[in-house]
Amino acid sequence: MDFTLTQEQRAFQQELRGWLDANIPADWRAGKRPPADTPESVEFLRGWQRTLAEARWAGIAWPKEYGGRGAGVMEQIIYQEEMHRADAPPQIGGLGITMFGPILIQMGTEAQKKRYVPNILNGQEIWCQGYSEPNAGSDLASLRTRAVLEGDQWVINGQKIWTSGAHHADMCFLLCRTQENPPDKHMGISAIIVDMHQPGVRTRRIHQMNGGRHFNEMFFENALAPADRVVGEVNKGWQAAVAVLGFERGGSASRHLGLQSAFDQVVDYCRTHNRGGTPLIQDPLVRTRLAAYHGRVHAAQLNFYRNLTHWLREGRPGPEGSLGKLYCSELRKEMMDFGTSLAGADGMLWEDELVEDYLSTFGGTIAAGTSEIQKNTVGERVLGLPKDIRN
Ligand SMILES: Cc1cc2nc3c(=O)[nH]c(=O)nc-3n(C[C@H](O)[C@H](O)[C@H](O)COP(=O)(O)OP(=O)(O)OC[C@H]3O[C@@H](n4cnc5c(N)ncnc54)[C@H](O)[C@@H]3O)c2cc1C
């Protein structure tokens, strides 16, 4: 592992840093931010993504002819680190940037690229991911939402769940069953681009235990999509679905940055809160735990660099990425649990951001593959253990 940046990478870092210094809105910097998930925040974030796109800082990994910079892995990592360092606003069309734009560029028809790709980049159309169903999450190939071709339209019926941001999405990348009783359940699935603004599509927001409402159930009742909205081949959508998940993993490569923030948050809590008149940070037992967490956070960072080395050498992230996802999401939950426990009875109240953030950590161990699924991957592909029994 060589952690030194090349001259070009340093120049890239400086250019981005300078641009962020000049362009992050002053109100955002001052902490005057629109409340999450409101129409004002959606509007604000669309505007921010437009600004990024105009300066070619939105989809940096995209090829230049599509408005990107053709950035390599290292630039993408630097980009994520700088965005994090500057506490920049998130990209509301982030799923489109990391997953759906790239899959259309790779597998879409020319007409699809022309129609959708520019609007993904500038945030004019926000996309959501219609994969999970009430009985098809980890076992995604069991999905039952059906699309039937009638004339030149797909007619879609079924239900999806846990769809992040569907309530403000314009388009959905929807996995549907288009062939009944195929020889293998991974066959007979198609990936269809569905317009969310039509009478046959209904979304219902789900209240989360952390108080947020960023998930939805989605109901499709004779929803329509033109025949040419299939991405890749009809009945071979599993390939597109898996390729999208590959982009998702790449896009969230530097998960250790969030872990560091969680650690800093717990340390900060210990500095600013007392027990028995003494700051928590002075308690030797608390200090011992924090020191151990510090070491484990550092280990996560080194594991990330190990995976990055593999990625740079082999051209794709290795299965160690699953180890990173598992380790970071579980450790984050554990650290926030520790922080909340220090709050004592107050930890049952909503008064501290720490409690809300602790409750959010559970989702991190489920999204993009649950911890058990990551353990299967680590067991089979990193440790070479016998395969899990699958049906
Ligand atoms: C924050 C967040 C955002 C999400 N966003 C989206 C989104 O935008 N679009 C979308 O389509 N979905 C989204 N999801 C859904 C997510 O993909 C699923 O929750 C996830 O795939 C797990 O599926 P499930 O909830 O049906 O649980 P299940 O698959 O039913 O799992 C239930 C339990 O069984 C365990 N289990 C299942 N299979 C195995 C196995 N083979 N071996 C061992 N244990 C197993 C699981 O680990 C889990 O503990 C999101 C979820 C979260 C938490």
Side-chain angles (χ1 to χ4, degrees), residues 96-356:
I97 297 283
T98 51
M99 301 196 279
F100 305 122
I103 197 69
L104 288 176
I105 291 170
Q106 187 178 310
M107 298 179 90
T109 61
E110 280 313 309
Q112 287 171 350
K113 290 180 197 175
K114 204 161 157 229
R115 161 67 185 84
Y116 298 111
V117 169
N119 286 349
I120 290 178
L121 193 69
N122 64 23
Q124 200 165 315
E125 282 178 340
I126 298 172
W127 286 51
C128 64
Q129 182 182 22
Y131 278 31
S132 306
E133 297 186 4
N135 290 310
S138 305
D139 182 18
L140 184 58
S142 295
L143 62 88
R144 292 167 60 187
T145 293
R146 287 178 75 211
V148 178
L149 193 59
E150 290 182 10
D152 57 358
Q153 299 267 17
W154 291 101
V155 180
I156 303 164
N157 284 284
Q159 185 194 344
K160 297 283 171 179
I161 194 166
W162 313 125
T163 325
S164 304
H167 51 291
H168 55 237
D170 303 295
M171 309 303 301
C172 181
F173 188 89
L174 190 73
L175 291 187
C176 302
R177 183 146 296 287
T178 42
Q179 182 193 357
E180 293 303 323
N181 306 317
D184 173 331
K185 67 182 174 183
H186 299 89
M187 294 156 82
I189 290 172
S190 300
I192 304 179
I193 303 170
V194 177
D195 191 333
M196 295 291 285
H197 306 296
Q198 57 167 304
V201 179
R202 200 160 47 87
T203 61
R204 190 161 69 191
R205 290 173 79 170
I206 299 174
H207 247 122
Q208 296 150 226
M209 67 176 172
N210 67 353
R213 296 173 74 195
H214 101 274
F215 287 135
N216 297 265
E217 290 177 284
M218 293 198 291
F219 301 92
F220 297 88
E221 287 151 0
N222 294 324
L224 300 175
D228 62 2
R229 296 277 182 95
V230 173
V231 180
E233 284 182 54
V234 175
N235 291 332
K236 292 192 177 164
W238 190 251
Q239 289 156 5
V242 170
V244 164
L245 293 178
F247 289 126
E248 183 179 27
R249 277 196 287 275
S252 53
S254 29
R255 204 170 254 118
H256 62 284
L257 297 171
L259 191 62
Q260 181 67 50
S261 300
F263 175 72
D264 293 344
Q265 192 180 357
V266 175
V267 171
D268 196 48
Y269 185 87
C270 295
R271 285 211 174 96
T272 52
H273 289 75
N274 296 339
R275 190 186 322 174
T278 311
L280 283 163
I281 196 84
Q282 286 177 19
D283 181 327
L285 293 176
V286 171
R287 293 174 78 82
T288 306
R289 284 287 286 271
L290 290 178
Y293 286 137
H294 177 72
R296 289 168 69 190
V297 169
H298 190 56
Q301 189 175 20
L302 293 179
N303 184 57
F304 166 71
Y305 285 130
R306 179 168 57 177
N307 192 34
L308 180 58
T309 307
H310 177 108
W311 193 351
L312 291 169
R313 282 195 195 130
E314 309 289 329
R316 60 187 161 75
E320 293 86 356
S322 283
L323 196 61
K325 199 277 174 179
L326 173 66
Y327 191 80
C328 288
S329 58
E330 291 291 343
L331 179 55
R332 186 173 185 160
K333 184 161 72 128
E334 188 188 322
M335 285 195 303
M336 299 303 276
D337 185 9
F338 172 63
T340 307
S341 74
L342 293 175
D346 287 349
M348 290 187 284
L349 303 174
W350 280 97
E351 297 195 341
D352 207 291
E353 205 181 314
L354 192 76
V355 178
E356 187 185 326

